[in-house]
Amino acid sequence: MVEKSSDQHIGFSTDRINAFTDGVLAIVITILVLGIDLPEDHKFSEQGLVSFLMRISRDVTMYAASFWLIGAYWVQHHAMFHFLKYCNRTLLWINILFMFPLTMMPFMTKLKVVYHADVVVAPLFGSTFIVSGLILLGIWRYIVARPALTDRPIDPPVVRSMSRRIMIGPLISLIAIGISYINTDLGTIVFCTLPLFYLSHRLVDYDSGERKT
């Protein structure tokens, strides 16, 4: 369905952009778990399950970190797009740009497992979420600057609150990168704290609920 908005921009339904984003991120998360190595030689089974789990603990930890980080950005993306009634071609391309760094996560996660002691790997891993977070902020600013794409103007307090919340991702990633130079495992733990800041967002959720009703 294609409609013409009041400012003469063409508006597309948001159904396919949401479905495409969900599908891509679901595939990325699936590839992540497939990156956990399962040794095929029998000597590990002879050593016992606990020994095997200890061997792959770093793989599992990095999988969990990447999973929750991607999930946190998906939550923000979902909350933002709830304000949309239409999307346009420019927004489609910006959204594709947002997903590109996230599709690199299985590769970056594997690099962090294999080269966990290398000081270069933490900036590479963290830069993925920094870039994605900044693009996500760009999407939000693009949406609020075009009221024709939403069902009604977004309140300024909601705009500011969402912008601040989005910037938490790049900020936490920068902090985690810095800590990783001191202790790589502690840096990974800091990365894992990022989703805690997206568990709730009452101002945005309340405004979204009003729009739905």
Side-chain angles (χ1 to χ4, degrees), residues 2 19 51 147:
V2 179
S51 176

Side-chain angles (χ1 to χ4, degrees), residues 32-86:
L32 272 175
V33 72
L34 294 177
I36 300 177
D37 288 332
L38 297 177
E40 297 180 356
D41 46 352
H42 69 281
K43 68 178 181 179
F44 290 102
S45 61
E46 293 175 350
Q47 293 174 358
L49 179 61
V50 174
S51 176
F52 166 70
L53 292 176
M54 291 296 295
R55 182 179 184 275
I56 66 170
S57 60
R58 192 177 298 276
D59 299 60
V60 175
T61 300
M62 285 311 308
Y63 160 74
S66 298
F67 176 90
W68 290 114
L69 288 167
I70 292 172
Y73 276 6
W74 178 86
V75 169
Q76 281 298 98
H77 184 279
H78 180 67
M80 286 166 41
F81 272 59
H82 192 77
F83 291 91
L84 280 176
K85 187 174 182 180
Y86 307 107

Side-chain angles (χ1 to χ4, degrees), residues 7 9 84 88 90 138 140-150:
D7 64 351
H9 284 89
L84 280 176
N88 58 23
T90 301
W140 176 241
R141 302 307 302 182
Y142 186 87
I143 290 173
V144 300
R146 288 158 180 81
L149 297 179
T150 62

Side-chain angles (χ1 to χ4, degrees), residues 9-133:
H9 284 89
I10 297 298
F12 299 103
S13 167
T14 60
D15 292 344
R16 293 196 66 186
I17 189 173
N18 288 326
F20 180 61
T21 304
D22 292 348
V24 169
L25 296 187
I27 292 172
V28 169
I29 288 175
T30 301
I31 295 174
L32 272 175
V33 72
L34 294 177
I36 300 177
D37 288 332
L38 297 177
E40 297 180 356
D41 46 352
H42 69 281
K43 68 178 181 179
F44 290 102
S45 61
E46 293 175 350
Q47 293 174 358
L49 179 61
V50 174
S51 176
F52 166 70
L53 292 176
M54 291 296 295
R55 182 179 184 275
I56 66 170
S57 60
R58 192 177 298 276
D59 299 60
V60 175
T61 300
M62 285 311 308
Y63 160 74
S66 298
F67 176 90
W68 290 114
L69 288 167
I70 292 172
Y73 276 6
W74 178 86
V75 169
Q76 281 298 98
H77 184 279
H78 180 67
M80 286 166 41
F81 272 59
H82 192 77
F83 291 91
L84 280 176
K85 187 174 182 180
Y86 307 107
C87 66
N88 58 23
R89 188 177 296 271
T90 301
L91 187 56
L92 291 173
W93 282 110
I94 299 175
N95 191 70
I96 290 174
L97 185 62
F98 160 70
M99 290 186 293
F100 174 73
L102 295 180
T103 61
M104 296 292 292
M105 278 314 301
F107 173 68
M108 293 298 181
T109 301
K110 196 63 179 179
L111 279 183
K112 201 166 188 315
V113 171
V114 176
Y115 298 99
H116 61 91
D118 196 314
V119 295
V120 178
V121 72
L124 285 175
F125 181 82
S127 64
T128 303
F129 293 102
I130 293 173
V131 172
S132 293

